[in-house]
Amino acid sequence: MAIATESVREKWSSRWVFILAATGSAVGLGNIWRFPYVTGENGGGAFVLIYLLCVVSVGIPIMMGETLIGRRGRKSPINAMRTLALEEGVSTNWRFLGWLGVVAGFIILSFYSVVAGWSVAYIFYVGGGAFAGTNATASASLFDSFTGSAWRIIGWHSLFMVTTGIIVARGVTGGLEKAVKWLMPALFVLLLVVVVYAMSTGNLGAAVDYLFASDFSELTSKSVLAALGQAFFSLSLGMGAIMIYGSYLSAETSIPRTIGLVALCDTGIAMLAGLAIFPIVFGFGLEPGSGPGLVFVTLTIAFGHMPFGQLFGALFFLLLTVAALTSAISILEPVVAWVVESFRWSRRKASGISALSAWVLGVGSALSFNQWADIRLVGKTFFDWCEFLSTTVMLPLGGLLVAVFVGWRMSKRATAEELGIGEGVLFQTWRVLVQVVAPIGVLLIFGNALVIFLQDINVLD
Ligand code: TRP
């Protein structure tokens, strides 16, 4: 396949715009929906600690790696990998890393849109007073009956996917920059409001204990794999999203400083979400390990009781929807950029067809909560499998390849040039992390979890 020589090369208008866009990509359902429920499924404190460790020692170094590949390659991930491989004189098979990303992107977008659709619906439910004075049982049963209706959740999924497709079709810089500038800070403030409310009415002590007191006896290697997957998912790593955002980044911007800030915002918001949700979980005697419905069940209880809860609640889900939208865009963007470059389709056509394909896959996820709820493979529904394969397998695998590529395949000079922090301690630390710590960490965690998984299947048989 010929390398596309020209592509739509827009550039961010400033470093801050990149920070906003990357934060917009990173902060989404992963922080507010996924982090709390995965933490709940994996027993709390020890999981959170391992998660933080994964962010710092594997996530941030790989995020810097993805950004520098994107900026140096200046193309969509598959073609950027190919360009850099040629530049460094290594095998162009490295472009398959980009392929892995495109496939992972489709799968993630498909279920992401389903869950984002729930958030859209909840703007109206909460705003319309469906949760006024609610209790734990009523809130949970409303969630169950909502997700139990296939046509309803497919409807909201469709609305969300169409919106994502339209925005990507129009190009990223115009509307998105402006939206992100105002809406992300607003989400942050509203999250703080819920945290304060949850702290004052829920069981704060139990929540803090649960989140930050580490009981390692609870920790299994599956949990460690889940923590790694969550770190990749939350930072938008391993599929080229950050790579393509990096490709729009100007040469003068400092990658380490910029990425550090993005990762800090992302992790901070996940912790805040935990502090908003777990006091309510324990205060109302809910089950932390109840799965994907967790935030929809807990936060709505808070909104059902706090002053102006109807208004704040509707606003909260509105902002969560926007946060999900800025993330969904970043999942679709690398796929579309690649289609445009490779098939020379118009951006509109590429966006439309890509979004439609992800939508079809998403219908499978939507049905997992109703018609297909009993169709399970090794205990997992279609939705569970999409989530597991993409986040827990493909993203860490993609990240591993990024680490090996920047650590071992690119010349030291080239990476040092892009990072722009000289070749001192900071650079050496980064290099050790991508060369040794990240690859070995990912491989160990994978290997271990695979063994457990195989044992599990035998046990089940
Ligand atoms: N990070 C986003 C979130 O936390 C989701 C996301 C956006 C993503 N782009 C991605 C996940 C790319 C993996 C890969 O909600």
Side-chain angles (χ1 to χ4, degrees):
M1 186 174 49
I3 310 178
T5 44
E6 108 271 348
S7 67
V8 213
R9 288 291 95 190
E10 298 178 272
K11 278 226 190 100
W12 304 116
S13 31
S14 75
R15 166 175 182 247
W16 282 104
V17 174
F18 172 81
I19 292 179
L20 284 169
T23 309
S25 164
V27 175
L29 298 173
N31 309 61
I32 292 164
W33 162 69
R34 198 172 191 274
F35 173 74
Y37 100 73
V38 177
T39 300
E41 285 179 339
N42 289 283
F47 175 86
V48 175
L49 191 69
I50 301 290
Y51 168 71
L52 293 174
L53 214 70
C54 287
V55 167
V56 173
S57 61
V58 180
I60 295 177
I62 291 183
M63 203 171 186
M64 286 162 55
E66 267 201 33
T67 317
L68 81 83
I69 293 177
R71 184 164 76 181
R72 208 172 172 83
R74 291 251 183 255
K75 293 200 179 67
S76 74
I78 295 178
N79 293 323
M81 286 306 297
R82 195 185 156 97
T83 307
L84 286 194
L86 288 172
E87 182 185 305
E88 300 286 344
V90 298
S91 163
T92 51
N93 283 335
W94 278 98
R95 71 182 184 284
F96 287 111
L97 170 55
W99 275 101
L100 184 71
V102 169
V103 176
F106 269 119
I107 304 179
I108 293 177
L109 185 59
S110 73
F111 70 78
Y112 202 86
S113 167
V114 172
V115 178
W118 300 349
S119 177
V120 184
Y122 266 58
I123 302 172
F124 300 102
Y125 283 138
V126 180
F131 292 92
T134 195
N135 58 35
T137 326
S139 179
S141 83
L142 199 144
F143 177 77
D144 289 339
S145 72
F146 166 61
T147 51
S149 154
W151 65 265
R152 246 192 243 170
I153 60 175
I154 291 175
W156 294 112
H157 159 55
S158 313
L159 180 68
F160 186 84
M161 191 65 91
V162 168
T163 314
T164 307
I166 291 176
I167 296 181
V168 172
R170 294 184 151 203
V172 198
T173 39
L176 200 66
E177 284 190 20
K178 289 188 209 91
V180 175
K181 214 179 278 184
W182 293 102
L183 297 171
M184 298 315 285
L187 177 69
F188 180 76
V189 171
L190 215 56
L191 194 55
L192 278 181
V193 171
V194 190
V195 171
V196 171
Y197 178 81
M199 283 179 168
S200 54
T201 53
N203 189 342
L204 179 63
V208 169
D209 257 9
Y210 186 74
L211 279 172
F212 302 112
S214 311
D215 174 7
F216 283 92
S217 63
E218 291 265 318
L219 205 68
T220 64
S221 62
K222 266 197 277 183
S223 307
V224 180
L225 182 64
L228 185 75
Q230 174 60 22
F232 277 91
F233 186 81
S234 193
L235 294 171
S236 303
L237 295 181
M239 62 137 308
I242 293 299
M243 207 182 276
I244 195 141
Y245 278 18
S247 80
Y248 305 134
L249 188 62
S250 82
E252 299 79 48
T253 307
S254 158
I255 292 180
R257 289 215 328 250
T258 311
I259 292 302
L261 198 59
V262 173
L264 191 71
C265 291
D266 185 65
T267 310
I269 293 202
M271 296 300 133
L272 270 184
L275 286 175
I277 286 151
F278 286 106
I280 302 174
V281 167
F282 295 114
F284 287 81
L286 288 161
E287 173 53 50
S290 61
L294 187 65
V295 300
F296 292 96
V297 174
T298 52
L299 290 187
T300 44
I301 300 178
F303 292 128
H305 292 271
M306 66 200 257
F308 304 108
Q310 227 161 299
L311 178 69
F312 281 156
L315 212 57
F316 179 84
F317 283 105
L318 176 67
L319 292 171
L320 181 58
T321 302
V322 173
L325 197 59
T326 57
S327 300
I329 287 162
S330 84
I331 309 174
L332 185 56
E333 174 66 16
V335 177
V336 168
W338 171 73
V339 172
V340 169
E341 277 177 13
S342 311
F343 304 127
R344 309 278 166 148
W345 287 359
S346 70
R347 227 186 134 81
R348 280 174 72 166
K349 183 172 167 192
S351 308
I353 293 186
S354 309
L356 181 68
S357 323
W359 179 85
V360 172
L361 208 58
V363 169
S365 280
L367 292 176
S368 302
F369 293 89
N370 34 70
Q371 261 82 321
W372 291 1
D374 295 324
I375 305 183
R376 284 164 193 264
L377 193 66
V378 210
K380 288 189 195 308
T381 61
F382 184 83
F383 171 89
D384 297 334
W385 274 108
C386 284
E387 218 208 342
F388 174 76
L389 279 181
S390 56
T391 61
T392 315
V393 178
M394 298 171 92
L395 297 183
L397 206 60
L400 169 72
L401 294 173
V402 167
V404 171
F405 188 79
V406 294
W408 297 98
R409 281 300 171 234
M410 283 183 75
S411 66
K412 196 171 166 188
R413 186 189 49 79
T415 52
E417 230 171 72
E418 288 298 326
L419 291 185
I421 41 173
E423 297 201 8
V425 186
L426 218 57
F427 177 73
Q428 296 303 341
T429 311
W430 174 78
R431 217 166 130 79
V432 171
L433 289 175
V434 289
Q435 280 190 322
V436 186
V437 177
I440 292 185
V442 173
L443 283 178
L444 274 182
I445 295 172
F446 259 142
N448 213 340
L450 187 68
V451 171
I452 303 282
F453 181 67
L454 294 177
Q455 283 170 350
D456 265 9
I457 302 181
N458 284 338
V459 168
L460 285 175
D461 285 343

